[in-house]
Amino acid sequence: MAAASVVAGAVLVPNWSAGAAVTDNPTVDAATKATFQRLADAVFADRTQALVDDTATGGKRHQQRTHGFTGKVRLSGTQSREESSTLDALRTRKSRLAKLGEEYSAAQTSVKLDATRVKGRSAKVAVTETTALTYERAKAGEPKTTGFQAHHELTFKADSKGVWRLSGVRSTDDGYLAVNQVEKPAVAAPAVAADDDNPPSAPRAATTRPAPANAKNMTASGYDYKAMVAYATKYWSKYNTDYPDFNGAGAGGDCTNFVSQSLKAGGWKHVPGYTYDFKKWFGNNEIQSDSFVGVNEFSWFALSSKRVTSLANVYQMDIGDVLQMDFDKDGSKDHTMIVTSRNAQGVPFVTYHSTNTYNRSVASLVASYPNAAYYAYRT
């Protein structure tokens, strides 16, 4: 899969400068900034490689690229321990994935430095990570790779000799769903209460692996599921400017907005009315109903309008179907995704915004978030 283009609106690019040296402060020159970038690249490459099947690399465990960094930029002792803990967690995730029948044979990660800010002996560096993983046993007609973009802020501290040490890594995306991340997901903003009658409640879907379900009837509903997939494939990383982008601080995330756009591309029609009425559904660049952009409100509209039916198991989903997750099982759904592929073994693959992700398997989600609640919808 070709490297995805960077989405400017989703990247943290404040009005920063790499400033000239101040008395008794280290100078950050172009070479040091380049080393910031290389260390960031090593950190995220190590995390991704922890998910790759050792047998695919001749039985040899990946040599950590963060080892051996010397000179003006290196890991702090605390961050080194944090990375070791993260890699252990990811290797555990790799084992869970293998039990679910999913392994990766190769991985590629690149990091672009977007901005650097220096204040005294502290530096903050904004980067964009682009990662692709190759599915080990993909058959003809199945996705060969899964990929995502993620945005991070790295904190560096310098000592009196001008040696910078990476002391912190923080995601700046609204979502925390990249397969090589282990941070606790952010909790979405509280759902907007409906002022009409009580909204419908979706039943949870099981995540155990059943026998493959029958393929979806692609003509019964009259919707164009291939068009939904084509739209999601086109805009998973290159956002459609005909709609607003809800990434960013306080915006709540773009996941449901993206899924609504995909469904609209496949034939879902607007139901105009008040934006807060969950029985209405509409969206364009100027105005959007709560049900078009809100996770819970989407579920309420989709069920009450009978445009969807709930599925008993996530593995029953097929292309054009919708998956939602409640990470902490607090009753408020946090994330919305659309199915863009399904393999012969009955595993669906989802695509979503926040973090921008293409063709991630449901098995990967279940392995990464085994304690979440899942809601599957047939569209």
Side-chain angles (χ1 to χ4, degrees):
M1 181 178 67
S5 59
V6 176
V7 184
V11 181
L12 175 64
V13 188
N15 187 20
W16 288 354
S17 66
V22 181
T23 303
D24 200 30
N25 283 343
T27 300
V28 182
D29 55 19
T32 303
K33 287 194 289 183
T35 311
F36 283 165
Q37 186 272 334
R38 287 197 299 273
L39 180 56
D41 190 82
V43 165
F44 296 113
D46 283 348
R47 293 182 180 189
T48 306
Q49 287 292 336
L51 295 166
V52 175
D53 180 17
D54 292 340
T55 62
T57 58
K60 296 180 180 179
R61 176 177 285 189
H62 168 72
Q63 288 294 111
Q64 285 185 230
R65 289 177 53 188
T66 50
H67 286 172
F69 258 79
T70 59
K72 289 189 175 181
V73 178
R74 65 186 74 172
L75 291 176
S76 69
T78 299
Q79 192 61 35
S80 181
R81 291 189 291 274
E82 178 68 23
E83 290 307 311
S84 293
S85 175
T86 297
L87 295 180
D88 286 343
L90 290 171
R91 291 183 186 112
T92 299
R93 181 175 298 172
K94 176 175 67 175
S95 297
R96 288 202 302 266
L97 277 167
K99 291 178 181 178
L100 291 169
E102 180 167 317
E103 293 175 294
Y104 307 118
S105 61
Q108 183 174 8
T109 292
S110 63
V111 171
K112 173 181 173 290
L113 189 150
D114 299 311
T116 303
R117 180 181 68 191
V118 176
K119 185 177 181 180
R121 298 188 183 283
S122 297
K124 290 188 182 295
V125 179
V127 300
T128 298
E129 171 196 1
T130 302
T131 286
L133 286 152
T134 302
Y135 289 116
E136 187 163 350
R137 288 185 289 273
K139 296 180 174 57
E142 297 177 0
K144 306 300 182 188
T145 62
T146 180
F148 64 88
Q149 289 179 326
H151 306 98
H152 312 275
E153 182 183 87
L154 282 65
T155 301
F156 292 85
K157 302 287 186 181
D159 62 21
S160 59
K161 296 181 180 180
V163 176
W164 292 98
R165 289 181 171 84
L166 175 62
S167 58
V169 178
R170 181 178 71 87
S171 172
T172 56
D173 287 320
D174 289 307
Y176 293 87
L177 284 172
V179 68
N180 69 351
Q181 291 179 331
V182 296
E183 296 94 338
K184 181 180 178 181
V187 177
V192 178
D195 73 339
D196 200 359
D197 51 348
N198 293 328
S201 178
R204 292 180 185 176
T207 58
T208 52
R209 186 80 174 268
N214 292 332
K216 179 178 181 178
N217 185 330
M218 296 297 172
T219 60
S221 68
Y223 297 129
D224 188 342
Y225 298 110
K226 290 183 179 179
M228 295 176 186
V229 171
Y231 184 95
T233 300
K234 181 177 180 179
Y235 290 110
W236 76 270
S237 65
K238 185 180 72 173
Y239 286 30
N240 187 347
T241 56
D242 289 340
Y243 298 91
D245 175 359
F246 288 99
N247 287 311
D254 199 64
C255 61
T256 307
N257 184 36
F258 171 67
V259 169
S260 289
Q261 293 170 36
S262 301
L263 295 171
K264 183 178 171 182
W268 277 36
K269 302 299 183 185
H270 281 176
V271 182
Y274 291 111
T275 58
Y276 55 78
D277 184 350
F278 73 83
K279 293 186 177 180
K280 310 301 179 185
W281 185 86
F282 53 89
N284 54 37
N285 195 40
E286 296 180 351
I287 189 170
Q288 308 81 36
S289 64
D290 292 344
S291 61
F292 199 90
V293 299
V295 182
N296 291 285
E297 294 86 346
F298 172 85
S299 174
W300 299 342
F301 167 78
L303 288 169
S304 64
S305 66
K306 302 191 185 305
R307 290 192 181 182
V308 305
T309 54
S310 292
L311 294 171
N313 192 295
V314 295
Y315 287 99
Q316 293 173 333
M317 295 189 301
D318 209 325
I319 66 168
D321 291 338
V322 173
L323 178 66
Q324 293 189 314
M325 292 174 64
D326 174 4
F327 295 112
D328 53 10
K329 293 184 178 177
D330 66 351
S332 178
K333 302 176 186 68
D334 302 309
H335 194 56
T336 309
M337 298 155 278
I338 188 167
V339 178
T340 47
S341 185
R342 183 173 184 262
N343 68 16
Q345 289 71 47
V347 177
F349 296 77
V350 293
T351 296
Y352 53 87
H353 280 180
S354 310
T355 301
N356 303 336
T357 298
Y358 175 66
N359 271 347
R360 182 173 182 180
S361 78
V362 166
S364 170
L365 289 172
V366 171
S368 301
Y369 300 97
N371 297 318
Y374 294 79
Y375 301 86
Y377 307 90
R378 169 59 42 83
T379 61

